[in-house]
């Protein structure tokens, strides 16, 4: 465990907890894309199957449980909670996320490390995580203004993946056998997707103006 | 012998 990875996990944890806190406290999910939250729940459900078969560490298991619990809670709040669901912007959150799931499934069947069910689902989750933020970014573009908690959520998610890239570089140089091309390329694509959001996020933060994303 | 790489990251 290196500092980049720990910082990455903590940032990732913060992103989901910030979002869950927002939704729970102000009983609103305005600006939040349910599609992205459902995709993340699917990412965790297909990636953390090994929680029952391989024990890596207490930290690993606890974090997986927290991510599973928080992502499914967020989906439940937006779908089922009688107050929160009213603030869900169904008309604007129209990204057809099945168009993301199917290509990731096919790609996992084509490019993977081992042809086992667990490994295929794990690879699927890696590809899906890379594109899961798209419905949220599209929603932010449409709603123009974004309130700072949603902005923070996307920012923290981008920061977590950037820290993971530093972690992979660190591990590549310290553990020779550590080579995971699939994870590295998908992680890089994911971080690049955030790049333009980052640009506008820093611009607005620097000029101390409300974040405006260009249409 | 290189053991199959388990995915130890989140």
């Amino acid at each position: 465990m290196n500092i980049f990875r720990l910082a990455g996990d903590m940032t990732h944890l913060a992103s989901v907890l910030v979002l869950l806190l927002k939704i729970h406290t102000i009983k609103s999910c305005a600006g939040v894309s349910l599609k992205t939250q459902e995709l993340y729940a699917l990412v965790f459900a297909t990636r953390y199957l090994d929680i029952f078969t391989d024990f890596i560490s207490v930290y690993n298991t606890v974090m997986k449980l927290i991510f599973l619990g928080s992502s499914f809670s967020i989906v439940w709040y937006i779908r089922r909670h009688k107050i929160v669901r009213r603030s869900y912007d169904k008309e604007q959150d129209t990204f057809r996320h099945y168009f993301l799931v199917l290509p990731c499934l096919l790609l996992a069947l084509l490019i993977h490390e081992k042809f086992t069910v667990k490994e295929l689902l794990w690879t699927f989750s890696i590809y899906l995580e890379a594109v899961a933020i798209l419905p949220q970014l599209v929603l932010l573009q449409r709603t123009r203004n974004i309130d700072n908690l949603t902005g923070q959520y996307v920012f923290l998610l981008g920061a977590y993946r950037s820290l993971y890239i530093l972690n992979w570089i660190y591990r590549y140089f310290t553990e020779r056998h550590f080579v995971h091309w699939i994870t590295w390329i998908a992680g890089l694509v994911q971080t690049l997707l955030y790049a333009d959001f980052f640009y506008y996020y820093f611009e607005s933060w620097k000029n101390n103006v409300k974040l405006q994303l260009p249409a | 012998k290189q053991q199959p790489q388990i995915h130890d990251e989140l």
Side-chain angles (χ1 to χ4, degrees):
Chain A
M1 169 69 83
N2 59 67
I3 186 63
F4 301 115
R5 194 172 134 210
L6 184 62
D9 288 343
M10 290 306 112
T11 311
H12 192 194
L13 184 66
S15 70
V16 288
L17 294 187
V18 156
L19 189 61
L20 190 54
L21 181 78
K22 155 182 173 176
I23 293 174
H24 175 75
T25 318
I26 63 176
K27 293 288 180 283
S28 160
C29 65
V32 177
S33 163
L34 171 61
K35 312 269 176 153
T36 284
Q37 296 312 315
E38 288 171 343
L39 289 175
Y40 266 111
L42 186 57
V43 165
F44 292 136
T46 51
R47 183 175 306 176
Y48 297 157
L49 297 173
D50 62 350
I51 198 168
F52 306 110
T53 56
D54 310 329
F55 177 76
I56 293 167
S57 70
V58 173
Y59 171 83
N60 193 274
T61 304
V62 167
M63 290 294 275
K64 285 175 177 175
L65 289 172
I66 294 173
F67 283 132
L68 282 166
S70 52
S71 61
F72 279 93
S73 309
I74 291 171
V75 170
W76 177 85
Y77 262 107
I78 301 178
R79 276 187 170 278
R80 292 278 183 276
H81 191 281
K82 59 188 180 305
I83 303 175
V84 173
R85 63 190 294 184
R86 284 206 296 259
S87 57
Y88 172 51
D89 199 347
K90 205 195 317 283
E91 287 70 35
Q92 296 267 28
D93 190 20
T94 56
F95 197 103
R96 281 179 290 282
H97 51 337
Y98 298 110
F99 285 10
L100 295 174
V101 171
L102 293 178
C104 290
L105 211 54
L106 294 177
L107 194 59
L109 288 171
L110 289 174
I111 306 173
H112 45 263
E113 285 175 11
K114 275 183 302 185
F115 197 81
T116 62
V117 171
K118 208 166 65 170
E119 185 68 20
L120 289 178
L121 287 175
W122 181 86
T123 312
F124 163 71
S125 82
I126 290 288
Y127 296 142
L128 189 62
E129 185 187 0
V131 294
I133 195 64
L134 281 172
Q136 180 65 63
L137 293 181
V138 165
L139 185 64
L140 291 182
Q141 302 269 358
R142 285 197 183 142
T143 51
R144 307 281 296 161
N145 271 350
I146 66 175
D147 69 344
N148 59 9
L149 269 174
T150 317
Q152 275 165 7
Y153 170 68
V154 178
F155 172 76
L156 288 168
L157 271 184
Y160 130 71
R161 219 51 186 161
S162 312
L163 286 163
Y164 251 69
I165 288 178
L166 297 180
N167 152 61
W168 293 326
I169 294 170
Y170 178 88
R171 291 190 74 176
Y172 177 75
F173 287 112
T174 52
E175 306 164 43
R176 266 183 325 294
H177 73 276
F178 185 78
V179 176
H180 281 299
W181 289 112
I182 290 175
T183 317
W184 297 347
I185 293 169
L188 191 61
V189 165
Q190 181 176 346
T191 309
L192 293 177
L193 278 178
Y194 286 81
D196 69 321
F197 173 84
F198 270 124
Y199 172 73
Y200 292 110
Y201 193 82
F202 280 124
E203 283 296 300
S204 74
W205 177 69
K206 194 171 60 181
N207 310 329
N208 195 19
V209 295
K210 199 160 170 51
L211 180 59
Q212 286 268 351
L213 293 174
Chain B
K1 178 177 166 325
Q2 184 171 337
Q3 43 96 6
Q5 301 192 5
I6 50 165
H7 302 298
D8 63 351
E9 296 182 341
L10 290 172

